[in-house]
Amino acid sequence: MSRIELLDSCLRDGAQAEGISFSINDKLAIVEVLDNLGIPLVEAGNPGSNPKDLEFFREAAKLSLKSARLCAFGSTRRKGVEAKDDPNLASMLTAGTDTVVIFGKSWDFHVTEVIRTTLEENLAMIADTVAYFRSKGKRVIYDAEHFYDGFKANRDYALKTLAAAADAGADCLALCDTNGGSMLPFIMEATAAAKKAAGAVAIGMHAHNDSGLAVANSLEAVNLGALHVQGTFIGFGERCGNANLSTIIPNLQLKMGHDCIPAEALIELTASARAIAEIANMALPDELPYVGRKAFAHKAGMHVDGVLKHTTSFEHIPPHSVGNERRVLLSEVAGRSSILEKIKKIDPTIERDSPVVADVLTSLKELEQEGYQFEGAEGSFDLLVRKALGKYKPLFKLERFRIIGERPAQDEGSQAMIKIVVDGQTELTAAEGDGPVNALDRALRKALERFYPSLKQMRLTDFKVRVLDGSDATAAKVRVLIESTDGKDIWTTVGVSTDIIEASWKALVDSVEYKLIREIGSKFGIFA
Amino acid sequence: MSRIELLDSCLRDGAQAEGISFSINDKLAIVEVLDNLGIPLVEAGNPGSNPKDLEFFREAAKLSLKSARLCAFGSTRRKGVEAKDDPNLASMLTAGTDTVVIFGKSWDFHVTEVIRTTLEENLAMIADTVAYFRSKGKRVIYDAEHFYDGFKANRDYALKTLAAAADAGADCLALCDTNGGSMLPFIMEATAAAKKAAGAVAIGMHAHNDSGLAVANSLEAVNLGALHVQGTFIGFGERCGNANLSTIIPNLQLKMGHDCIPAEALIELTASARAIAEIANMALPDELPYVGRKAFAHKAGMHVDGVLKHTTSFEHIPPHSVGNERRVLLSEVAGRSSILEKIKKIDPTIERDSPVVADVLTSLKELEQEGYQFEGAEGSFDLLVRKALGKYKPLFKLERFRIIGERPAQDEGSQAMIKIVVDGQTELTAAEGDGPVNALDRALRKALERFYPSLKQMRLTDFKVRVLDGSDATAAKVRVLIESTDGKDIWTTVGVSTDIIEASWKALVDSVEYKLIREIGSKFGIFA
């Protein structure tokens, strides 16, 4: 049971992921999320590498952080140059961090073939650089790049690079599986050898997921005595990504009994993962262990019965311990008990044999027959239940909409005109968009915002189309799933029709109504 | 170096994943992909559980498979009933498979609290069921459900359940980490104990990914002597999914020296993963080890230089060994041979170093960057190659189309007007349809039939829509795949746009042109 130090590299290695591009404000927001969670080290870039990084460090210094400390990151000194004369090292100091992370070469092949110097000079580059930052009073983490590939190629030399850093005063030696290709038994052998070579200096792990083993390799390094683990909070990084800290943290803390973030912060895990995904403008993978939307979703009837009888029966941890929630999915195989569980969230007084349960089941079956699927469309299911319970009132009436698309396109390609009525007041408006659904979405919200200003916070984050029966091709039924957020909650709604416009319309209306009914339901006397 | 038997459970455990719902044709198509790859066992459902499964087994029996064998899947007999009188066991026999997979309880808690019988009766249920299927000449794989949780709770009893199956004649004992919550050192301890208890009977592994360890746990089970690994090909399954075979296969085969699929099939790995994702209408995660689009993508300038100097420098395996490709900013030679093979189908005189191969590669890369994917869109790829070869001429010119949809709907809901020109002759027409794409499809073919009467034989048979990047929701790019037939041939075409109407239009045009160009190309002097 040890204290394991975590280093998050979202802002540095994570920024290497395809499709990731952070503004300074994005970076600051991520630092705050990680700090709130109690992650001790946050690796950022080198302020000398570009002006944006310099500005980031300046702005970050103004944050009042509880626990997180920023680390500047850079390579060992250049070959043939004294450390004090290397402008990259000097620029790292301008970041003003207590801790610096220095990466150097541990694979002889990289020394001779990529940076093209002698093995001896590389050892000197490591030692000089570490000693330089120690002389400036910095805590130094030495990242042994390609340590595992290096150990495979020339184990003596790989271990010598560690010794060079340790002898020069490094506080921690992070062993990197840079290409992510190492198998676990080899990781264990090399890590044990490194631990021995490091002596009293702490060792750490920096794993990549190219073989699907980044989490396992990190945990087994801890089992061998590593006290420091590097990764990115939701796993993004180059190629297949870095070791995912949102998986590693609960494994270390709940399963292995180690201590890495404050116990009370663990329930922030899921919300933190969603927040970072939002900031990075990427979809959080639904299947992600612990924090994914599906991580505690149960579909099969048998399993649902099992879970409801005894939650440990099909759940490895209580979902709320990481701030996630159990989701009982509604599907053809779902029975009365899973429906009841959902209904009780809206009205806890409803009992198993209440007629409303049978009504909801009947509606569900009819709608599933039409092609609806409510698993993963809780927003629409919530509205369905409210309708059955009499806790629903339409929030607007559609008079008419018309969408037009043409090629060659004028302006944005599609236009939508819409006319709605709210409380006897008519609103007629129009919008353009990329395609008819986008135009219709914009027109609907534009028309409603006058009556319901909170819709301004709402936006659509995902849109899925499933053709239900391909054999009728373009006349087949389509099911549209829309995911929306208002920054706090995420909800999904569904619509089905042979016309994609109509299916999208149904899902859009549900999405808006789901938000508004929970928010202002009481005003309309919808809640009992 | 052993022969490791793989069992794919896409059709059974995979179908438990949220959002997955397979038609019979989808299931048959997946069986063919897995067969083509050389996966030996494909687990499907129980034909007795619903009529769709029964029909699936009937249709699947008509496939001519090279190597894959289907397995029926079901539980042990009910408590207090003789195996021969249990209708579920009888119905499993109707599937007509050589191999059956029987799951039973290995966790005492589940025996007493979930199925509510005695520990002795559960052992009898396991033994009777295995013996029953053995007496019917079936090979029996026994899935020890919750084996690891059971071993933790009551190791003697968990091992007794394995012995019950082994003594009754089971051919393989698959140890299930059903909740996916076990850490690796414990998995290793329990697996070693199971291996000892199993004696001469093979053991296997069935892992779930709730702790991010499904791949690692499977590989370490193999290191301890397991000869059978269960998973789903691209990892989908309940909650966080099953062990991902597309990761496990190359780890076993390229890294650990085991034998699981034919060596020459390994280059089909990436295409197979994409095909299964397409059939399941889910996005293949870009970060997936080995088969993901980003698995060999290099962004960092330093890394790209490294890769270009020495590919092993930042790549753990050669991407082409699993049919994937390196993606860098600069145009690259990877993929040339597979492209050449396709080009030779249209013009056998083209050689590897012909400029047209480079032209096609460049166009392909540009289009893939836009979101196109030509796997399973051979019609569009054929047209792309013909364009590069100068063997293409547009068969009509679009002057303008306009689609209109409105609610409340008049008539069929959507109308399309179209104006085209063929050989200087203008045709202006209109059609109605269920939704704008259907109306446009009808209008286009109505306008063209006057010039190309053979289009009367053509019809669209499938239509798929994939939203490429959900984060922009209704303004995101969509990829439309259209499958068409003229009764003789079947072909698929693709279109991409932020506007679903335009994406559909591109796929529709390709579909019509693909048919006509092969048919009447010679009339236009398009063929050399």
Side-chain angles (χ1 to χ4, degrees):
Chain A
M1 309 311 118
S2 309
R3 166 106 195 129
I4 308 298
E5 180 183 67
L6 302 173
L7 180 147
D8 184 285
S9 191
C10 276
L11 304 185
R12 205 272 305 165
D13 230 358
Q16 298 295 327
E18 188 179 355
I20 296 285
S21 149
F22 293 130
S23 70
I24 289 171
N25 282 335
D26 291 340
K27 289 184 174 187
L28 295 171
I30 287 177
V31 172
E32 289 191 306
V33 172
L34 295 171
D35 178 57
N36 182 50
L37 200 58
I39 305 280
L41 297 173
V42 177
E43 185 175 78
N46 180 345
S49 67
N50 70 60
K52 252 176 80 180
D53 274 9
L54 181 61
E55 193 186 337
F56 162 75
F57 277 107
R58 261 189 214 136
E59 291 299 315
K62 299 176 194 163
L63 297 174
S64 60
L65 301 175
K66 293 186 296 186
S67 58
R69 293 288 167 269
L70 292 171
C71 313
F73 173 87
S75 74
T76 51
R77 69 159 172 82
R78 294 178 193 166
K79 56 188 177 188
V81 175
E82 281 195 64
K84 67 176 174 51
D85 299 328
D86 186 320
N88 279 326
L89 306 195
S91 76
M92 279 178 70
L93 290 174
T94 66
T97 61
D98 304 330
T99 302
V100 295
V101 181
I102 299 298
F103 75 97
K105 297 291 182 190
S106 283
W107 187 0
D108 58 355
F109 167 76
H110 264 245
V111 175
T112 56
E113 301 302 315
V114 178
I115 64 169
R116 298 189 176 165
T117 187
T118 64
L119 297 181
E120 291 66 35
E121 169 66 359
N122 180 57
L123 293 177
M125 286 158 66
I126 295 168
D128 291 355
T129 310
V130 170
Y132 174 74
F133 284 106
R134 292 291 292 136
S135 77
K136 299 289 180 190
K138 303 295 176 191
R139 183 167 177 255
V140 177
I141 296 166
Y142 174 68
D143 271 11
E145 199 194 29
H146 284 298
F147 170 74
Y148 293 94
D149 291 305
F151 188 85
K152 190 171 277 171
N154 182 343
R155 67 176 61 193
D156 285 347
Y157 186 72
L159 294 175
K160 269 186 193 161
T161 64
L162 297 184
D167 294 345
D171 298 275
C172 178
L173 309 175
L175 314 173
C176 305
D177 188 30
T178 308
N179 290 6
S182 300
M183 295 292 102
L184 188 59
F186 174 73
I187 288 277
M188 292 170 76
E189 180 194 346
T191 304
K195 175 84 175 70
K196 210 172 146 194
V201 179
I203 61 163
M205 183 67 175
H206 175 108
H208 281 263
N209 203 36
D210 299 73
S211 306
L213 296 170
V215 168
N217 289 347
S218 303
L219 299 182
E220 291 315 301
V222 169
N223 281 334
L224 288 165
L227 295 173
H228 169 103
V229 173
Q230 302 188 357
T232 60
F233 193 66
I234 50 176
F236 54 80
E238 276 191 285
R239 308 186 309 274
C240 306
N242 288 56
N244 188 323
L245 293 181
S246 70
T247 309
I248 287 176
I249 292 168
N251 279 340
L252 286 176
Q253 202 137 337
L254 297 176
K255 302 285 182 76
M256 294 162 67
H258 295 297
D259 179 27
C260 42
I261 63 171
E264 66 276 13
L266 207 57
I267 59 163
E268 300 293 330
L269 204 75
T270 301
S272 303
R274 287 185 183 160
I276 290 178
E278 272 300 302
I279 297 164
N281 196 27
M282 61 176 272
L284 188 71
D286 286 338
E287 303 76 12
L288 222 51
Y290 296 101
V291 299
R293 218 172 55 92
K294 295 183 183 170
F296 302 95
H298 302 280
K299 184 174 177 180
M302 191 169 43
H303 281 207
V304 170
D305 287 348
V307 168
L308 296 180
K309 273 185 196 154
H310 303 284
T311 56
T312 62
S313 171
F314 285 94
E315 275 174 358
H316 69 129
I317 59 154
H320 60 79
S321 63
V322 290
N324 208 335
E325 59 170 357
R326 180 177 311 134
R327 288 169 58 241
V328 175
L329 303 175
L330 302 161
S331 70
E332 294 162 59
V333 289
R336 188 175 278 249
S337 47
S338 54
I339 303 293
L340 183 65
E341 164 118 336
K342 293 255 177 190
I343 295 176
K344 275 182 174 290
K345 280 192 181 165
I346 297 165
D347 185 344
T349 68
I350 302 295
E351 291 302 328
R352 193 183 178 82
D353 49 2
S354 157
V356 80
V357 178
D359 290 352
V360 171
L361 266 171
T362 308
S363 303
L364 258 184
K365 280 201 180 22
E366 283 167 12
L367 288 165
E368 282 181 348
Q369 206 63 28
E370 280 178 46
Y372 276 80
Q373 193 183 289
F374 290 92
E375 54 172 79
E378 295 86 358
S380 291
F381 182 73
D382 181 279
L383 292 169
L384 179 85
V385 172
R386 285 179 197 274
K387 283 170 189 167
L389 292 172
K391 290 175 189 266
Y392 167 84
K393 190 183 145 184
L395 297 180
F396 68 94
K397 181 174 174 294
L398 173 73
E399 286 282 313
R400 162 163 299 277
F401 72 72
R402 168 179 282 220
I403 55 101
I404 296 171
E406 57 196 338
R407 286 293 175 281
Q410 291 164 335
D411 307 308
E412 284 204 66
S414 290
Q415 295 87 41
M417 178 285 291
I418 194 166
K419 189 174 172 189
I420 57 157
V421 182
V422 177
D423 285 338
Q425 295 181 66
T426 298
E427 178 76 21
L428 172 69
T429 191
E432 292 183 324
D434 265 339
V437 180
N438 186 229
L440 188 59
D441 165 32
R442 290 182 182 174
L444 173 64
R445 284 187 293 147
K446 191 171 162 192
L448 287 173
E449 274 177 15
R450 176 183 145 200
F451 306 101
Y452 307 109
S454 75
L455 291 179
K456 288 199 175 87
Q457 274 89 57
M458 177 184 157
R459 64 193 182 83
L460 270 50
T461 50
D462 202 357
F463 177 67
K464 282 185 179 154
V465 181
R466 168 85 183 174
V467 179
L468 294 178
D469 178 2
S471 56
D472 292 323
T474 55
K477 270 195 180 172
V478 292
R479 180 167 60 226
V480 168
L481 277 166
I482 285 178
E483 187 187 273
S484 309
T485 184
D486 55 10
K488 291 199 307 276
D489 289 321
I490 297 171
W491 61 97
T492 310
T493 53
V494 62
V496 172
S497 169
T498 50
D499 180 348
I500 191 169
I501 304 295
E502 186 172 44
S504 305
W505 169 255
K506 289 174 176 174
L508 282 173
V509 170
D510 272 10
S511 176
V512 165
E513 289 200 330
Y514 177 73
K515 173 173 170 64
L516 294 176
I517 275 187
R518 286 180 312 156
E519 233 169 63
I520 53 171
S522 54
K523 177 178 147 196
F524 290 81
I526 293 168
F527 293 146
Chain B
M1 308 311 119
S2 309
R3 166 107 195 124
I4 308 297
E5 179 184 67
L6 301 173
L7 180 146
D8 183 286
S9 191
C10 276
L11 304 185
R12 206 271 307 166
D13 231 357
Q16 298 296 327
E18 183 177 359
I20 295 286
S21 145
F22 292 129
S23 70
I24 289 171
N25 282 335
D26 290 339
K27 289 184 174 186
L28 295 171
I30 287 176
V31 171
E32 289 191 304
V33 172
L34 296 170
D35 178 55
N36 181 51
L37 200 59
I39 305 280
L41 297 173
V42 177
E43 185 175 78
N46 181 346
S49 67
N50 70 60
K52 259 175 76 180
D53 274 10
L54 182 60
E55 193 186 336
F56 162 74
F57 277 107
R58 261 192 215 134
E59 293 298 317
K62 298 175 193 163
L63 298 174
S64 60
L65 301 174
K66 294 186 296 187
S67 59
R69 292 289 168 267
L70 292 172
C71 313
F73 174 86
S75 75
T76 51
R77 69 158 172 83
R78 294 179 192 166
K79 57 189 177 188
V81 175
E82 281 195 62
K84 67 176 174 54
D85 299 329
D86 187 320
N88 279 325
L89 307 194
S91 75
M92 279 178 70
L93 291 173
T94 66
T97 61
D98 303 332
T99 301
V100 295
V101 181
I102 299 299
F103 74 96
K105 299 291 182 191
S106 284
W107 187 359
D108 57 355
F109 167 75
H110 263 244
V111 176
T112 56
E113 301 303 313
V114 178
I115 63 167
R116 297 188 177 166
T117 187
T118 63
L119 298 181
E120 292 67 34
E121 170 65 0
N122 180 56
L123 294 177
M125 286 158 65
I126 295 168
D128 291 354
T129 309
V130 171
Y132 174 74
F133 283 105
R134 292 290 293 134
S135 76
K136 299 290 178 188
K138 303 297 175 190
R139 181 166 177 258
V140 178
I141 295 166
Y142 175 68
D143 271 12
E145 199 195 29
H146 283 296
F147 170 75
Y148 293 93
D149 290 305
F151 188 85
K152 191 170 277 172
N154 182 343
R155 68 176 60 194
D156 286 346
Y157 187 72
L159 295 174
K160 270 187 194 160
T161 64
L162 297 184
D167 294 346
D171 298 276
C172 177
L173 308 174
L175 313 174
C176 305
D177 188 30
T178 307
N179 290 6
S182 300
M183 296 292 101
L184 188 59
F186 174 73
I187 288 275
M188 293 170 75
E189 179 193 348
T191 304
K195 175 86 175 68
K196 209 171 147 197
V201 179
I203 61 164
M205 184 66 175
H206 175 108
H208 281 263
N209 203 37
D210 299 74
S211 308
L213 297 169
V215 168
N217 290 346
S218 303
L219 298 182
E220 292 314 301
V222 169
N223 281 334
L224 288 165
L227 295 173
H228 170 101
V229 174
Q230 303 188 357
T232 60
F233 193 66
I234 49 175
F236 54 78
E238 276 191 283
R239 308 184 311 271
C240 307
N242 287 58
N244 189 321
L245 293 181
S246 71
T247 309
I248 287 176
I249 291 168
N251 278 340
L252 286 176
Q253 203 138 333
L254 297 175
K255 302 285 181 76
M256 294 162 68
H258 295 297
D259 179 25
C260 42
I261 64 171
E264 67 276 13
L266 208 56
I267 58 162
E268 301 294 332
L269 204 75
T270 301
S272 302
R274 288 181 185 163
I276 289 178
E278 275 301 310
I279 296 165
N281 195 27
M282 59 176 274
L284 189 70
D286 286 339
E287 302 77 12
L288 221 50
Y290 296 101
V291 300
R293 216 174 56 92
K294 296 183 183 171
F296 302 95
H298 301 281
K299 181 174 176 182
M302 189 169 48
H303 281 204
V304 170
D305 287 349
V307 169
L308 295 180
K309 273 185 194 154
H310 302 282
T311 57
T312 60
S313 170
F314 284 95
E315 276 176 357
H316 68 127
I317 59 155
H320 61 81
S321 62
V322 291
N324 207 337
E325 58 171 359
R326 179 177 311 133
R327 292 170 54 238
V328 291
L329 291 172
L330 307 164
S331 68
E332 250 293 314
V333 289
R336 186 174 280 247
S337 46
S338 56
I339 300 297
L340 181 65
E341 190 169 321
K342 294 193 173 174
I343 295 176
K344 276 180 174 290
K345 283 188 185 164
I346 296 163
D347 186 343
T349 69
I350 302 294
E351 292 301 328
R352 191 182 178 80
D353 49 2
S354 158
V356 80
V357 178
D359 291 351
V360 170
L361 265 171
T362 307
S363 304
L364 257 184
K365 279 204 192 328
E366 283 168 10
L367 288 166
E368 283 178 349
Q369 206 63 32
E370 282 178 45
Y372 276 81
Q373 194 183 293
F374 291 91
E375 310 266 356
E378 303 82 9
S380 292
F381 183 73
D382 182 280
L383 291 169
L384 179 84
V385 172
R386 287 179 197 274
K387 284 170 189 169
L389 293 172
K391 290 177 185 267
Y392 167 84
K393 189 182 142 185
L395 298 180
F396 68 95
K397 180 173 175 292
L398 174 72
E399 286 282 312
R400 161 165 298 279
F401 72 72
R402 167 180 281 221
I403 56 102
I404 297 172
E406 56 194 342
R407 285 294 174 283
Q410 290 164 339
D411 307 310
E412 283 204 68
S414 291
Q415 295 87 42
M417 179 285 292
I418 195 166
K419 189 174 173 188
I420 57 159
V421 182
V422 176
D423 285 340
Q425 294 182 67
T426 298
E427 178 74 20
L428 171 68
T429 191
E432 293 183 324
D434 265 338
V437 181
N438 185 230
L440 188 60
D441 165 31
R442 289 183 183 174
L444 172 65
R445 286 187 293 146
K446 191 172 162 191
L448 288 173
E449 275 177 15
R450 176 182 146 202
F451 307 100
Y452 307 109
S454 76
L455 290 180
K456 288 202 175 83
Q457 276 90 56
M458 177 183 157
R459 62 190 182 84
L460 271 50
T461 51
D462 202 358
F463 177 68
K464 280 187 177 157
V465 181
R466 161 68 38 79
V467 179
L468 293 179
D469 177 2
S471 56
D472 292 321
T474 55
K477 272 195 179 171
V478 291
R479 178 165 66 225
V480 169
L481 277 166
I482 285 178
E483 188 187 271
S484 310
T485 184
D486 54 10
K488 291 199 307 275
D489 290 321
I490 295 172
W491 61 97
T492 308
T493 54
V494 61
V496 171
S497 170
T498 51
D499 181 347
I500 192 168
I501 305 294
E502 187 172 45
S504 305
W505 169 254
K506 290 173 176 176
L508 282 173
V509 170
D510 271 11
S511 177
V512 165
E513 289 199 332
Y514 178 74
K515 175 174 170 61
L516 294 176
I517 275 186
R518 287 180 311 157
E519 230 170 64
I520 54 171
S522 55
K523 177 177 146 195
F524 289 82
I526 295 170
F527 293 149

